[in-house]
Amino acid sequence: MGDLTLAVDIGGTKFAVGLVDAGGGVAESRVAATPPGGDARALWETLTALLDDLDVPDAVAGVGIGCGGPMTWPDGAVSPLNMPGWRGFPLRERLAARFPGVPVRIHNDAVCLAVAEHWRGAGRGVPNMLGMVVSTGVGGGLILGGRLVDGGTGNAGHIGHVVVDPAGQPCGCGGRGCLEAIARGPGLAAWAVERGWSPAEEPREPATATDTGPDTGPDTGPAPGGADGPKARYLEATAASARRLAADAAAGHPIALEAMTRAGRALGTAIASAAALCDLDLVTIGGGLSQAGPLLFGPLEEALREHARITFARRIRVVPAALGQEAGLVGAAALVVAPGSYWSAG
Amino acid sequence: MGDLTLAVDIGGTKFAVGLVDAGGGVAESRVAATPPGGDARALWETLTALLDDLDVPDAVAGVGIGCGGPMTWPDGAVSPLNMPGWRGFPLRERLAARFPGVPVRIHNDAVCLAVAEHWRGAGRGVPNMLGMVVSTGVGGGLILGGRLVDGGTGNAGHIGHVVVDPAGQPCGCGGRGCLEAIARGPGLAAWAVERGWSPAEEPREPATATDTGPDTGPDTGPAPGGADGPKARYLEATAASARRLAADAAAGHPIALEAMTRAGRALGTAIASAAALCDLDLVTIGGGLSQAGPLLFGPLEEALREHARITFARRIRVVPAALGQEAGLVGAAALVVAPGSYWSAG
């Protein structure tokens, strides 16, 4: 029984818990929706109900936790942006009290996804990589010399706040022109809405291509209903609008296409900077927006190859993340199962 | 005698060799000018003459080498940009043949300067730092978790090729908008020359400030002679023009001031990106241009504080490098003396 690690993955959309074996296989798991607007107690009870339901064996090898940031690290008092009910909540300490006598370790959820890709996904055996997530935010984790890099406060890997346009748009962090300000799904959707795109519309033929060629683009299916939805601008903070944008881009909508190009180029530029600074072998990209495929990866590669020109940087490869929904659990477990590579904090 | 390490520092301007003790003290050293346009043999003979003159003891602990890049690493076949006579020259191997039976280790010269600052300079005891050099080029070395980061090919730390302006000027690497394209001394001087500044002139009163206030600025001394010098544009590739530019900026010349501001802001922007990605505690800056003091560090801090807004990045400090001319030797020696921190390549 001591061979199983309890993994906990706490996000703004869902909570997941699972038992992960020493090879990174998820033996069993439970998932629940994050209680919207839940206070500290409601959030904790959601988690403990999941744990009760999982029927955790007495002798787990340890507990690995991934949680949305920010948090104090490694002590793990969490204040996830999307869960106002937890502000400085001692998540690691509370779980350590529930599972005494075993290591209980925590890291940022984007870091855990990077660790998962390195341990069991698209980055297996690659010594120097950045694992990225492009979704409601843009985050990542950095592995150099085969080891997870923590940085001074456990926050290394924040590629979302690399500056890609010094005079660019304001970012949620208070800065300007950060990758995240441009490439996060809701930011992209807002940019498109400002230019006349509406997330409630049916996909349209590309206006600018009508008379110039056969490029009507693939149709990914009918647009969902939504006539009773809120006004377009109201949707700018929702992940749904970003999915809609990607679907419209796939259907050839010119503003949606331009938005995806803009995001892709910003990603490629930031990756070029990371490649120069860290001499990376590989970047993996996961998260909802990464599923836009060539619409995002095409402009990404274009900007990357324009900017990553110094000889050693040209070798960098960018690939989609290989692991699916359980990646967060797998990465959290790795903090316990493979501390030589993924845990430095004692 | 085995307590002394032989250090070798190979640059485009000078060659230096020295004996460094286990505490980082330089017991003895010799310096010679790099033979301009020297072929492979002339360069090697310059080095061996220095070594003969140094009277290296029989039993050195090892040999540490810093050399201008690029090079293959860790085998150390060097092709320094400023020394066309060496292309794929097996510098490490040649020195290993001369000093058999001891470790002979090599790294980029900018990496050695960063190592020196971490080992014995302004970064002592700081776990996560970037050591930068701003001079004819812009380079650096990265130390994370108290260890030198090599990256996949020994090239981590190339902050000069972080993108600070995606639509910016072409860079020598073939890219566009790299920090180095903007902030390297010769690039700055060229930018100022294009706007009417001439490196041969006496420092002038600031044209725009003549009627607006008392800001005449300090006078750093008479301009050097040079009436028979080449035309201004011809000088753009010389370090001398960058020193002239810094002096003119100190004297209040508006174009020179604008150039220094431009460089400082580019540096601050790139440092903000590095701080986000690597969660850094400290940046040290050395090299000729860093001696411009507040004219450079003022705009640097301004741009840094505008962009490094995410909470953990705000703590970053930027300080001048503490070590002087011998830093290259000290850092090269550290590859041998302190391999636990500075050598990973076996």
Side-chain angles (χ1 to χ4, degrees):
Chain A
M1 299 297 271
D3 286 335
L4 290 174
T5 293
L6 172 63
V8 176
D9 181 18
I10 302 288
T13 309
K14 65 176 174 64
F15 283 17
V17 302
L19 295 169
V20 180
D21 65 34
V26 179
E28 208 172 344
S29 67
R30 298 287 183 279
V31 180
T34 306
D39 63 11
R41 184 175 180 155
L43 291 164
W44 176 247
E45 284 173 355
T46 301
L47 177 56
T48 52
L50 279 178
L51 291 171
D52 290 342
D53 191 38
L54 183 66
D55 194 16
V56 181
D58 284 344
V60 288
V63 182
I65 312 161
C67 184
M71 70 178 71
T72 58
W73 184 89
D75 51 312
V78 304
S79 309
L81 283 180
N82 299 323
M83 282 172 261
W86 277 352
R87 284 295 169 268
F89 181 79
L91 178 61
R92 198 203 64 81
E93 200 175 290
R94 293 287 284 272
L95 283 165
R98 194 177 159 120
F99 298 96
V102 295
V104 180
R105 296 170 180 162
I106 190 168
H107 233 310
N108 184 285
D109 53 357
V111 168
C112 288
L113 292 174
V115 163
E117 288 299 322
H118 186 256
W119 191 38
R120 287 296 175 249
R124 282 170 91 137
V126 176
N128 305 281
M129 67 165 268
L130 175 67
M132 292 180 64
V133 193
V134 184
S135 169
T136 319
V138 177
L142 192 57
I143 284 137
L144 297 175
R147 291 185 55 93
L148 177 65
V149 171
D150 299 307
T153 65
N155 280 295
H158 268 86
I159 181 89
H161 299 280
V162 163
V163 180
V164 293
D165 180 4
Q169 65 205 79
C171 180
C173 72
R176 180 175 286 279
C178 299
L179 170 62
E180 179 167 287
I182 295 167
R184 66 191 288 260
L188 261 195
W191 183 90
V193 164
E194 272 170 27
R195 278 150 193 84
W197 172 76
S198 164
E201 278 179 31
E202 297 285 325
R204 292 178 299 190
E205 291 299 307
T208 55
T210 304
D211 300 325
T212 58
D215 177 22
T216 55
D219 191 322
T220 56
D228 63 342
K231 289 292 179 196
R233 191 173 292 274
Y234 185 87
L235 282 176
E236 71 180 40
T238 73
S241 59
R243 282 196 298 273
R244 182 77 248 136
L245 188 75
D248 276 8
H253 189 295
I255 295 170
L257 272 173
E258 200 182 330
M260 298 306 288
T261 298
R262 186 175 146 82
R265 288 196 61 89
L267 287 162
T269 303
I271 291 170
S273 289
L277 187 60
C278 298
D279 191 8
L280 298 172
D281 309 310
L282 181 76
V283 173
T284 64
I285 305 192
L289 209 61
S290 71
Q291 289 162 22
L295 295 172
L296 191 76
F297 282 83
L300 183 161
E301 280 286 336
E302 191 180 81
L304 173 60
R305 299 309 159 188
E306 284 170 26
H307 287 294
R309 300 293 301 164
I310 191 166
T311 318
F312 70 87
R314 294 183 194 181
R315 80 182 188 287
I316 196 169
R317 291 181 303 121
V318 180
V319 301
L323 304 179
Q325 292 293 324
E326 290 180 332
L329 293 175
V330 173
L335 305 178
V336 173
V337 179
S341 298
Y342 309 120
W343 190 253
S344 70
Chain B
M1 299 300 270
D3 287 333
L4 289 175
T5 293
L6 172 63
V8 176
D9 181 18
I10 303 288
T13 309
K14 65 176 173 65
F15 283 17
V17 301
L19 295 170
V20 180
D21 65 33
V26 179
E28 207 172 345
S29 66
R30 300 287 184 278
V31 180
T34 306
D39 63 11
R41 185 175 179 155
L43 291 164
W44 175 248
E45 283 173 357
T46 300
L47 177 55
T48 52
L50 279 178
L51 291 171
D52 290 343
D53 193 39
L54 184 65
D55 195 17
V56 181
D58 284 343
V60 289
V63 183
I65 312 159
C67 185
M71 71 178 70
T72 59
W73 185 89
D75 52 313
V78 304
S79 311
L81 283 180
N82 299 322
M83 281 172 263
W86 277 351
R87 283 295 169 270
F89 181 78
L91 179 60
R92 199 203 63 81
E93 201 175 289
R94 293 287 284 272
L95 283 165
R98 196 178 158 117
F99 297 95
V102 295
V104 180
R105 295 170 182 164
I106 191 168
H107 234 310
N108 185 285
D109 53 357
V111 168
C112 288
L113 292 174
V115 163
E117 288 299 322
H118 186 255
W119 191 37
R120 287 296 175 250
R124 282 171 92 136
V126 175
N128 305 282
M129 67 165 267
L130 175 67
M132 292 179 66
V133 194
V134 185
S135 171
T136 318
V138 177
L142 193 57
I143 284 136
L144 297 175
R147 290 186 55 93
L148 177 64
V149 171
D150 298 307
T153 66
N155 280 294
H158 268 86
I159 180 92
H161 299 280
V162 163
V163 180
V164 294
D165 180 5
Q169 64 204 79
C171 179
C173 72
R176 181 174 286 280
C178 299
L179 171 61
E180 178 168 286
I182 296 166
R184 68 191 287 259
L188 261 195
W191 183 89
V193 165
E194 272 171 25
R195 278 150 193 85
W197 172 77
S198 163
E201 278 180 30
E202 297 285 326
R204 293 178 298 190
E205 293 298 307
T208 55
T210 304
D211 300 325
T212 58
D215 178 22
T216 56
D219 190 323
T220 56
D228 64 343
K231 289 291 180 198
R233 190 172 292 274
Y234 186 88
L235 282 176
E236 72 181 38
T238 72
S241 59
R243 283 196 297 273
R244 182 77 249 136
L245 188 74
D248 275 9
H253 188 296
I255 296 171
L257 273 173
E258 200 181 331
M260 298 306 288
T261 298
R262 186 175 146 80
R265 289 196 61 89
L267 287 162
T269 304
I271 291 170
S273 290
L277 187 60
C278 299
D279 191 7
L280 298 172
D281 308 310
L282 181 75
V283 173
T284 65
I285 305 192
L289 208 62
S290 71
Q291 288 162 22
L295 296 171
L296 191 75
F297 282 83
L300 184 161
E301 280 286 336
E302 191 180 83
L304 174 60
R305 300 308 160 189
E306 283 169 27
H307 286 293
R309 300 294 300 165
I310 191 165
T311 318
F312 69 86
R314 294 183 193 181
R315 78 183 190 285
I316 196 169
R317 292 180 302 121
V318 180
V319 302
L323 303 179
Q325 292 293 324
E326 291 180 331
L329 293 175
V330 173
L335 306 178
V336 173
V337 180
S341 298
Y342 307 120
W343 191 254
S344 69

